[in-house]
Amino acid sequence: MIVETAREKKVTQIIIGQSSQTLWQEITRGNFVNDLIEQLGPIDLHIVAVQRYPELLEHSHEKGFSAYLVKQDGSYVLSEEPGGEDTIKGIFFRELDTDFNSGLFKIVRNGEAQYLRILQSEWVKPHS
């Protein structure tokens, strides 16, 4: 999907966040970045380290606050209160200059920070 869209839009450069695959995922599914590079051809690929997110957040997002992603009707919705067993606790960084709850939701899994994209209070899950 990334490659097709980039070619259709005549994109010359793509910037992605560092892949958070475990070694086991890389062995069983392959390396996402290597697969992408093979398919891109003349399109430049830039990879931004996940550790840079906190620095970048200061310029584009409000200060983070504790929040929850609560499962509702098959999706996860941002909430200030926990709501059952399928609740994910984290820190929500709301984008500056917006009236909506859109931004990044930081969780820590296996000692590593991961950032989930929130759009109008709902978790935008990446396509697998």
Side-chain angles (χ1 to χ4, degrees), residues 3 11 27 39 65-66 70 78 83 91-92 97-98 103 105 121 123 128:
V3 175
V11 168
I27 291 169
Q39 296 175 31
F65 62 89
S66 292
V70 178
L78 189 66
I91 299 174
F92 178 63
D97 305 321
T98 181
F105 189 83
S121 297
W123 176 21
S128 342

Side-chain angles (χ1 to χ4, degrees), residues 109-126:
R109 288 195 176 151
N110 301 323
E112 285 189 36
Q114 295 180 1
Y115 293 85
L116 310 178
R117 180 81 176 108
I118 305 297
L119 184 61
Q120 296 185 3
S121 297
E122 190 169 333
W123 176 21
V124 180
K125 292 184 185 179

